[in-house]
Amino acid sequence: MESNVIIDPQYEEKASGFLKKAVIGLVCASFPIASIVAIILGSGNHKAIVDYVNAGGMHTPKIKTCAVLSKGAFYGGIGMTIFYVVYFICAFLMLSAYLFSTLPNQH
């Protein structure tokens, strides 16, 4: 029997590259400044995966996993960026309230 599946010779290299970027994006999403990098990394990686598949690349479970992880890095980066902004604003306000409460009375 003949197999009609066209095998991309660069599939393994591209798939492992997509997977590395997706995992790095997910890890970056959990750190305060790096969460912004995760947004950019996840968005760019997902676009590269979509372009690869649209260009006739293999659409395997590994590529689907990379696409899902890239979307997760994108949305996780957005969520954690919002979280850290609110967190640091609250921390600043609490520190300011503490510092102003320790001032001597001006009466």
Side-chain angles (χ1 to χ4, degrees):
M1 260 193 201
E2 222 178 286
S3 176
N4 292 333
V5 177
I6 300 171
I7 298 175
D8 184 6
Q10 298 176 345
Y11 166 75
E12 276 301 321
E13 180 182 329
K14 288 188 178 199
S16 65
F18 291 148
L19 187 60
K20 285 177 189 175
K21 285 184 181 178
V23 170
I24 289 170
L26 282 171
V27 170
C28 286
S30 63
F31 296 106
I33 302 298
S35 61
I36 298 168
V37 174
I39 296 169
I40 297 166
L41 196 60
S43 170
N45 195 33
H46 189 267
K47 186 178 181 324
I49 291 169
V50 169
D51 290 343
Y52 170 74
V53 171
N54 287 340
M58 296 173 61
H59 193 68
T60 62
K62 189 172 184 178
I63 296 293
K64 291 178 187 178
T65 302
C66 295
V68 169
L69 292 176
S70 294
K71 279 285 197 182
F74 176 72
Y75 289 119
I78 290 173
M80 292 307 287
T81 300
I82 293 169
F83 171 77
Y84 282 121
V85 166
V86 171
Y87 178 80
F88 286 126
I89 288 173
C90 288
F92 175 75
L93 291 175
M94 288 189 329
L95 182 64
S96 298
Y98 173 73
L99 291 175
F100 283 116
S101 71
T102 59
L103 290 176
N105 228 349
Q106 299 293 324
H107 287 38

